Amino acid sequence: MLLDTTCFWRTQLKLRSIFMAVLAVVGLAGLTLWRLADHDLGRRASESFEFTTAGHLLTGTLWLPDEIPHAAIVLVHGDGAQDRTSFGGYAPLINAFLDRGIAVAAWDKPGVGSSGGNWLLQSMGERTDETRAALQLLKTRLEGVSVGAVGFSQAGWVLPGLSQSDADFLVLIGAAVSWQDQGRYYTRTRLAQEGLSPNEIDRTIADQDRENERIFGSDASVTDAPDNMLPDRWRFIQQNRSANSREELSRFDIPIFAIWGADDLNVDAEQDSTIYRELLIEHDARTKILVWPDATHGLLRSTAYNWQLTEDWSWMAKLRFIAEGRHAFAPGALGAIIDWIDARSREDGSPQ
């Protein structure tokens, strides 16, 4: 009898172990599928849109939440050739907005995807005009809904050119103030990572400034472009390298949420957030300026994703981003942005 009882309990323990293992596998599979859903925009209600700017037809997608939207945003790209979802990188962000009842519109940059033109021939002012046209289209499509823009990095020279007739609110993520200051910071950070001393870095930056003036200055021509630089890229830099948003920010008339990652390797978060505070301190009580802890240039968790360029990401970081979806962002950062947009929509009387 004692032997039978012992066997019984051994069997029960084995069954329990198997059950717990199966439960763990099912739970892990469910968690994985839940996270992977963050990268799926095909399950969302959407519609195509197009508009013309600077003589070129641009195409994009408007994604709609399950319920009636109480706010809507356009996404404004940073630098580089990017399609409407930044080749899938925006998907977790877009799904996070949609889950909170915020419609999202984004388009392929000129010359990318289905859009005509060439983004490398654009000035920052022309990018502002492009964003203004998209906002107007969104206002027409979603009448009575609070409409704004969420821009990344280079959008810091795009969105400040808008006014309250264009948008109800603006969000800037990792925005730079001065093009040339941003370039110096980017290079200084890279050189420090390579192990150069502060004196060596200072000398290198001074040499770079002189060389940039020779290559891109007012007296330069495309023949001065480096051998590895395409002519269109040279023209893009030359026409935009004097970009500085100070003057536009000083006369800003739209509520703005400006946020930087504290560990930004591309933009000097402390310096530029200080400039924003100085210029906008008496601007609007609704304006919020934050430096978010443990966050990158794009507000991802800096412990896992802090590279200057996404093409520098390790394969492990790429797999991790796929697995984590919106949870790759620094804790609370997306929520802070969405909560602020929600507050703006309530002020505007948009449907909740």
Side-chain angles (χ1 to χ4, degrees):
M1 181 66 70
L2 178 61
L3 181 60
D4 289 344
T5 303
T6 301
C7 290
F8 172 79
W9 285 113
R10 284 178 179 173
T11 302
Q12 292 300 307
L13 288 172
K14 180 181 284 189
L15 290 173
R16 182 176 180 182
S17 297
I18 293 172
F19 174 76
M20 294 301 294
V22 170
L23 190 63
V25 169
V26 171
L28 181 61
L31 176 63
T32 301
L33 291 173
W34 174 54
R35 295 286 182 85
L36 289 177
D38 264 353
H39 299 278
D40 180 15
L41 292 173
R43 62 192 174 91
R44 297 293 193 172
S46 66
E47 56 191 60
S48 299
F49 69 90
E50 58 185 31
F51 61 100
T52 300
T53 181
H56 300 293
L57 184 67
L58 306 186
T59 62
T61 299
L62 169 63
W63 292 274
L64 298 165
D66 295 336
E67 67 273 21
I68 297 174
H70 62 82
I73 59 170
V74 299
L75 296 181
V76 181
H77 299 299
D79 192 20
Q82 299 187 62
D83 70 3
R84 64 197 70 184
T85 67
S86 193
F87 304 105
Y90 287 164
L93 183 78
I94 293 171
N95 274 314
F97 282 118
L98 294 174
D99 285 346
R100 292 284 296 272
I102 300 171
V104 181
W107 59 94
D108 301 336
K109 272 191 170 187
V112 180
S114 302
S115 290
N118 183 348
W119 68 272
L120 284 168
L121 301 183
Q122 290 184 303
S123 68
M124 293 300 105
E126 287 169 331
R127 290 203 64 196
T128 302
D129 292 340
E130 172 185 293
T131 304
R132 182 179 292 113
L135 284 164
Q136 186 56 51
L137 187 65
L138 193 57
K139 284 183 176 183
T140 302
R141 170 62 181 81
L142 299 173
E143 291 187 37
V145 171
S146 183
V147 172
V150 175
F152 309 90
S153 192
Q154 194 179 92
W157 302 302
V158 177
L159 298 189
L162 299 172
S163 69
Q164 60 184 346
S165 63
D166 302 312
D168 299 309
F169 60 86
L170 298 177
V171 176
L172 278 166
I173 299 171
V177 174
S178 162
W179 180 293
Q180 294 185 44
D181 285 350
Q182 188 270 331
R184 294 186 188 101
Y185 178 83
Y186 181 95
T187 301
R188 185 176 295 278
T189 301
R190 177 175 56 79
L191 294 176
Q193 290 180 325
E194 293 175 1
L196 273 67
S197 69
N199 287 339
E200 289 173 320
I201 293 173
D202 288 342
R203 287 195 296 270
T204 302
I205 296 294
D207 291 342
Q208 175 184 275
D209 285 346
R210 287 189 292 270
E211 183 66 1
N212 283 345
E213 188 59 33
R214 182 188 70 80
I215 295 172
F216 303 111
S218 57
D219 296 329
S221 69
V222 70
T223 58
D224 296 309
D227 292 338
N228 61 347
M229 181 176 287
L230 295 174
D232 284 352
R233 184 65 183 180
W234 177 88
R235 294 187 182 93
F236 182 76
I237 294 172
Q238 192 198 41
Q239 75 169 327
N240 290 302
R241 67 188 293 263
S242 62
N244 192 313
S245 60
R246 280 180 178 269
E247 183 176 346
E248 291 169 323
L249 288 171
S250 68
R251 57 174 185 267
F252 215 49
D253 62 358
I254 313 174
I256 184 171
F257 187 112
I259 184 170
W260 292 261
D263 298 326
D264 195 322
L265 301 178
N266 296 41
V267 169
D268 191 334
E270 287 299 331
Q271 174 179 288
D272 289 343
S273 63
T274 297
I275 293 171
Y276 266 65
R277 290 188 183 96
E278 290 173 349
L279 294 175
L280 300 174
I281 190 168
E282 298 179 355
H283 160 246
D284 190 311
R286 297 167 294 180
T287 285
K288 183 172 287 189
I289 299 166
L290 297 176
V291 176
W292 204 263
D294 305 316
T296 70
H297 183 54
L299 296 183
L300 298 176
R301 292 200 320 277
S302 57
T303 52
Y305 301 101
N306 215 10
W307 284 268
Q308 287 184 314
L309 301 172
T310 53
E311 49 261 43
D312 294 334
W313 281 23
S314 68
W315 65 269
M316 182 64 73
K318 294 173 183 177
L319 289 176
R320 185 170 184 167
F321 180 74
I322 293 172
E324 292 188 330
R326 74 185 69 179
H327 300 281
F329 287 87
L334 288 186
I337 292 171
I338 295 172
D339 288 345
W340 185 84
I341 293 175
D342 282 346
R344 304 290 74 74
S345 68
R346 287 194 296 272
E347 292 169 352
D348 296 335
S350 301
Q352 299 296 307

